[in-house]
Amino acid sequence: MEIMDSDRNTIKIGDYVVVQRQGYTKLHKLKAHSKLILGSFNIEMDNIVNEKYSDTFQMKNTPGNKKHYILEKVQQINSPVETLNIEKSGSDNRHITNDNEISQVLTKEDIDKLKDEELNSNNIVGQLVNNSKTFSMKTEYSQEKYIKKKEKKYFEYVQIKRPTIRILAQMFYRQDPTKTLGIRIDDLSQILAYANIHSEGNVVLYDSGTSGLMSAALMNALGHSSTGQLIHMHPGNECQRNAFIAMQFPKEQSERCINVNLYSVLRCFYQQKNTFQEQEEIEEPEAKRQKTEETSAQKKSWQLDNERACKILNEKVDCLIITAKEHPVNIVKELIQFLNGNRNLVVFRRTQK
Amino acid sequence: MSFDGYKTLIKEGDVVIVYLTPSQIYSVEALPKITNKKGNRVDNVFQTPYGALRCGDLIGARFGTKVQLSKGWAYVLQPTPELWTVTLPHRTQIIYTPDISMIILQLEISPGSVVVESGTGSGSLSHALIRAVKPHGHLHTFEFHEGRAATAQEEFKQHGLSQYVTVRQRDVCERGFGDELNDTADAVFLDLPHPWLAVPHAIRALKSTGGRLCSFSPCIEQVQRTCLALLKAGFQEMQTMEVLQTQWSVQQRNVPVVNLEFVRTEKAAGEAEKKERETAKAVVAVPPASLPGHTGYMTFATLPPLWARTLQMSLNETDIDAEGDAE
């Protein structure tokens, strides 16, 4: 267990990592010689390989190539708020005129030049302050705010984190709430609680587009080395599984999530009962048995998934969750037959009617 | 014994939820006889507004079915932590499901996690924590009140959860969580009057690979002091929030529609003055007139793993200085 733990703490090629710069986070799949575009920065990621999660790295300019940065592990962060010495502060804003052209001596070109020489928030913010005609007239509160705002813009450190449901839920919602059907972290937490999700039981999820957040959160709550299974029904050909892949569940765990198409699995349930219902044990002639084994080998993986799912549905499930873009009533009516008595149903929909 | 895993039939001694209406939910024990206040064995009969329920008769019934009462019927349900939260006997102020679910997601608890909780209180949160960590995780819960600690212990046993939880009676601010828990916890939950005193103990209990912490306090002054203590200790990703649940009321409303078209043209001769008033009918969701009550502020933070701790502490010093300047 300990060995596995230390292994999980090392950043490896193939990992999904979360890169955080100030309040901004981005999910990145780490490949050999991969680059990450973070705002206006183009960052080469090679130097984080074999380092540890939660480590902090400094973005360093590469000579001759603007906006191209490499990462260097650091043990210390120099923050402008700490290093800048503010000598004079104003008491109010009566003498400050709001004209950026005049108050800041440095032009955009000057600042870009500074940035391209060395991305150093300390130095840049210091220059900005020194070349500002109005800075010393600002109140100390507004001076602090100014420095923090500028520091944010030129901050040269990133932290690497391992994705968790909390981080993913917050990141997806911030990037674009429609990509998770508007499910915010409090919505997600209550869906999991009221659905009574824990390590045992079979869960059916119908999800029409949360970037895999729902299936990932459910699988995470069902846990590793446990018995709980998840049938993830989706409306399209391929299910969305960004978040699910990012969680990098162990194989044993991710295999307990069966992804099936809603229409195709129901068709299988109604029209091909023989494929999943327990067959009467009949002594088959050897030749025939071989033949059936051959046909099952020829089946496509989605057909096998359908059959696996139908087998579970046939024995009824412990929880039904619907997070749908569509009007949920017909979906609920259809799927509720698979739910055991005294079990939980949660339906989530953003819009009111 | 009815809390551990999905059950079909009610067994003797099970806690059973009697569900009448959304606001009338009770818990009873499926026992034919109980001991009353005077120490006598009497029939275990539960009085509801719809008639009496003989709790012994529930044994053998299926969870999720209806039982007949003299003036109506009730559903008998298997308890979940959510149902338990609304029916449990209060010994203290309790934490409710919207807060509980946020705590579990934010603390990143999943099966296998080791969680430290202080204080146990009425066990509302504990039941949800146990559900989240079992089967191979564990909850260590601390309560300084002797009676409450003993009652909680007894309750977990009765609910069949003893193997997943250890109850200890201790004042953790003074004495910490104990050396046996050093470097074992994935998450620490603090619901204490002076949570900042327990922060150093929490750091010792959390794994060297880091972990999450939550402090639940009703007053913002407590939050401030706790945040400062957390900053000083090198925690990161600090976030304080409160979860407010609003209940929208669904109503049928008539909305008057004003039509002003007719004023543009002259009235044709002989046409009677029409009353240009129509109403549109609609089912609407009306927001509550006042905001729902405050329960508590939850402060979440991450303790970085050992190798990243010193860096975070040096970074936090700035914030502490800035805080000091502002005062």
Side-chain angles (χ1 to χ4, degrees), chain B residues 10-326:
Chain B
I10 299 174
K11 287 210 239 1
E12 182 160 354
D14 276 354
V15 172
V16 177
I17 305 294
V18 179
Y19 184 101
L20 300 167
T21 69
S23 56
Q24 290 169 302
I25 308 175
Y26 310 96
S27 71
V28 298
E29 275 176 70
L31 289 171
K33 300 250 179 201
I34 47 163
T35 312
N36 70 1
K37 281 175 196 156
K38 289 175 188 156
N40 303 323
R41 296 294 285 171
V42 291
D43 283 349
N44 186 9
V45 178
F46 182 72
Q47 295 296 338
T48 79
Y50 303 100
L53 173 69
R54 300 176 66 86
C55 299
D57 295 349
L58 294 175
I59 299 164
R62 289 175 80 89
F63 278 119
T65 52
K66 281 180 189 176
V67 290
Q68 202 60 44
L69 303 171
S70 58
K71 284 174 271 175
W73 45 267
Y75 283 114
V76 285
L77 305 178
Q78 187 187 348
T80 62
E82 288 67 46
L83 289 169
W84 182 245
T85 292
V86 292
T87 55
L88 58 81
H90 277 231
R91 303 184 281 271
T92 55
Q93 176 66 258
I94 66 163
I95 300 176
Y96 288 93
T97 301
D99 288 340
I100 292 175
S101 38
M102 183 59 94
I103 289 164
I104 287 171
L105 186 61
Q106 288 279 345
L107 288 183
E108 299 180 344
I109 296 170
S110 61
S113 299
V114 175
V115 181
V116 171
E117 178 198 28
S118 177
T120 316
S122 305
S124 170
L125 174 65
S126 317
H127 278 81
L129 289 173
I130 292 167
R131 173 182 64 184
V133 302
K134 72 185 190 157
H136 32 276
H138 201 84
L139 173 69
H140 298 275
T141 184
F142 291 81
E143 170 63 49
F144 53 38
H145 187 281
E146 192 183 342
R148 285 202 292 268
T151 315
Q153 175 104 50
E154 187 49 44
E155 208 171 77
F156 294 135
K157 200 175 147 203
Q158 194 205 343
H159 294 174
L161 300 173
S162 295
Q163 53 174 316
Y164 310 117
V165 57
T166 308
V167 185
R168 292 181 180 85
Q169 189 222 327
R170 183 183 301 170
D171 181 346
V172 295
C173 289
E174 263 177 36
R175 293 174 51 214
F177 299 109
D179 286 344
E180 69 273 24
L181 292 188
N182 283 354
D183 194 9
T184 59
D186 296 287
V188 171
F189 174 80
L190 304 174
D191 179 5
L192 299 165
H194 309 292
W196 55 91
L197 295 177
V199 167
H201 304 305
I203 293 170
R204 269 193 289 281
L206 283 166
K207 284 182 178 164
S208 59
T209 49
R212 294 276 292 166
L213 177 139
C214 172
S215 169
F216 184 96
S217 303
C219 306
I220 201 75
E221 291 82 358
Q222 293 167 301
V223 175
Q224 284 175 314
R225 289 194 69 167
T226 310
C227 284
L228 277 174
L230 290 172
L231 263 180
K232 224 172 179 168
F235 279 82
Q236 59 186 23
E237 294 187 294
M238 278 172 50
Q239 195 180 16
T240 300
M241 62 176 80
E242 72 176 322
V243 180
L244 296 176
Q245 207 174 30
T246 50
Q247 189 160 20
W248 292 63
S249 96
V250 179
Q251 297 174 356
Q252 174 95 25
R253 282 278 174 92
N254 292 323
V255 186
V257 178
V258 181
N259 191 349
L260 295 171
E261 274 302 306
F262 72 99
V263 298
R264 298 188 180 197
T265 50
E266 225 175 287
K267 200 166 42 171
E271 197 183 334
E273 178 97 6
K274 253 203 288 181
K275 231 192 180 167
E276 295 298 335
R277 267 193 171 256
E278 294 163 23
T279 56
K281 261 189 185 174
V283 179
V284 293
V286 186
S290 62
L291 266 179
H294 164 75
T295 52
Y297 300 105
M298 289 174 281
T299 302
F300 297 101
T302 305
L303 182 68
L306 265 185
W307 58 84
R309 249 174 240 182
T310 44
L311 176 101
Q312 193 58 44
M313 283 170 83
S314 74
L315 189 65
N316 283 353
E317 265 168 27
T318 344
D319 291 319
I320 298 167
D321 289 349
E323 190 78 23
D325 289 345

Side-chain angles (χ1 to χ4, degrees), chain A residues 9 52-56 75-76 82 159 161 164 166 185 189-190 193 196 198-200 221 224 342-343, chain B residues 5-6 63-64 77-78 82 97 101 105-106 108 111 131 134-136 209 212 236-237 305 307 311 318:
Chain A
N9 288 321
K52 286 184 160 176
Y53 283 102
S54 296
D55 273 342
T56 300
Q75 294 298 341
Q76 208 187 342
E82 186 178 10
Q159 193 183 23
K161 289 176 178 168
T164 64
R166 169 182 65 90
I185 194 157
S189 73
Q190 288 182 37
N196 196 23
H198 57 281
S199 57
E200 65 176 274
H224 66 88
N342 192 41
R343 297 295 192 262
Chain B
Y6 290 113
F63 278 119
L77 305 178
Q78 187 187 348
E82 288 67 46
T97 301
S101 38
L105 186 61
Q106 288 279 345
E108 299 180 344
R131 173 182 64 184
K134 72 185 190 157
H136 32 276
T209 49
R212 294 276 292 166
Q236 59 186 23
E237 294 187 294
W307 58 84
L311 176 101
T318 344

Side-chain angles (χ1 to χ4, degrees), chain A residues 78-331:
Chain A
N78 298 313
S79 165
V81 188
E82 186 178 10
T83 41
L84 277 180
N85 230 335
I86 302 165
E87 286 156 1
K88 209 172 133 226
S89 305
S91 55
D92 53 41
N93 64 1
R94 73 184 71 190
H95 302 300
I96 301 175
T97 44
N98 194 6
D99 190 346
N100 205 29
E101 300 275 308
I102 300 165
S103 48
Q104 180 56 258
V105 177
L106 294 180
T107 62
K108 191 174 180 299
E109 287 74 38
D110 293 333
I111 300 170
D112 279 346
K113 213 175 144 199
L114 277 174
K115 210 169 124 187
D116 292 338
E117 273 162 22
E118 191 196 4
L119 182 67
N120 180 332
S121 57
N122 240 328
N123 180 30
I124 298 175
V125 177
Q127 296 269 4
L128 285 173
V129 166
N130 289 339
N131 288 290
S132 165
K133 288 178 186 162
T134 48
F135 185 80
S136 58
M137 292 192 282
K138 289 174 192 268
T139 62
E140 55 179 306
Y141 307 106
S142 116
Q143 283 175 337
E144 195 189 313
K145 195 173 152 193
Y146 178 87
I147 291 171
K148 281 210 164 150
K149 202 171 120 194
K150 294 297 172 191
E151 179 192 24
K152 209 172 168 181
K153 205 166 165 191
Y154 303 106
F155 194 70
E156 69 268 39
Y157 300 98
V158 295
Q159 193 183 23
I160 308 295
K161 289 176 178 168
R162 172 173 273 281
T164 64
I165 294 296
R166 169 182 65 90
I167 292 173
L168 292 174
Q170 276 168 348
M171 183 169 71
F172 284 174
Y173 191 82
R174 199 201 52 238
Q175 284 172 354
D176 183 357
T178 59
K179 285 211 174 133
T180 53
L181 296 178
I183 293 182
R184 207 168 53 183
I185 194 157
D186 51 332
D187 300 320
L188 179 62
S189 73
Q190 288 182 37
I191 291 171
L192 296 174
Y194 285 112
N196 196 23
I197 304 296
H198 57 281
S199 57
E200 65 176 274
N202 297 321
V203 180
V204 170
L205 164 71
Y206 174 76
D207 176 11
S208 53
T210 59
S211 307
L213 182 64
M214 280 310 301
S215 56
L218 290 169
M219 208 62 237
N220 183 60
L222 289 169
H224 66 88
S225 338
S226 61
T227 57
Q229 300 186 90
L230 170 65
I231 303 175
H232 174 198
M233 297 183 181
H234 54 90
N237 287 331
E238 292 287 326
C239 66
Q240 300 186 348
R241 39 185 295 160
N242 281 4
F244 192 91
I245 296 172
M247 287 298 291
Q248 301 159 91
F249 293 118
K251 192 161 179 278
E252 155 276 321
Q253 189 174 0
S254 61
E255 277 177 351
R256 279 182 282 128
C257 171
I258 311 168
N259 297 304
V260 290
N261 172 282
L262 172 71
Y263 306 99
S264 139
V265 74
L266 289 174
R267 204 171 291 133
C268 175
F269 185 80
Y270 287 118
Q271 299 174 17
Q272 292 147 30
K273 292 242 183 233
N274 58 321
T275 57
F276 57 88
Q277 274 173 349
E278 288 295 320
Q279 300 283 325
E280 297 280 309
E281 280 294 325
I282 318 163
E283 278 299 315
E284 289 176 72
E286 189 62 25
K288 201 182 165 189
R289 182 179 299 168
Q290 259 179 7
K291 207 178 166 192
T292 45
E293 271 166 25
E294 268 168 37
T295 47
S296 77
Q298 282 160 4
K299 277 185 184 167
K300 297 206 170 68
S301 68
W302 63 266
Q303 287 173 315
L304 294 173
D305 282 345
N306 276 348
E307 288 167 19
R308 251 176 90 201
C310 287
K311 212 168 188 168
I312 298 170
L313 291 175
N314 204 31
E315 282 157 25
K316 297 211 171 185
V317 300
D318 302 298
C319 176
L320 171 60
I321 298 176
I322 292 169
T323 50
K325 220 182 308 199
E326 302 87 357
H327 197 296
V329 167
N330 285 345
I331 306 167

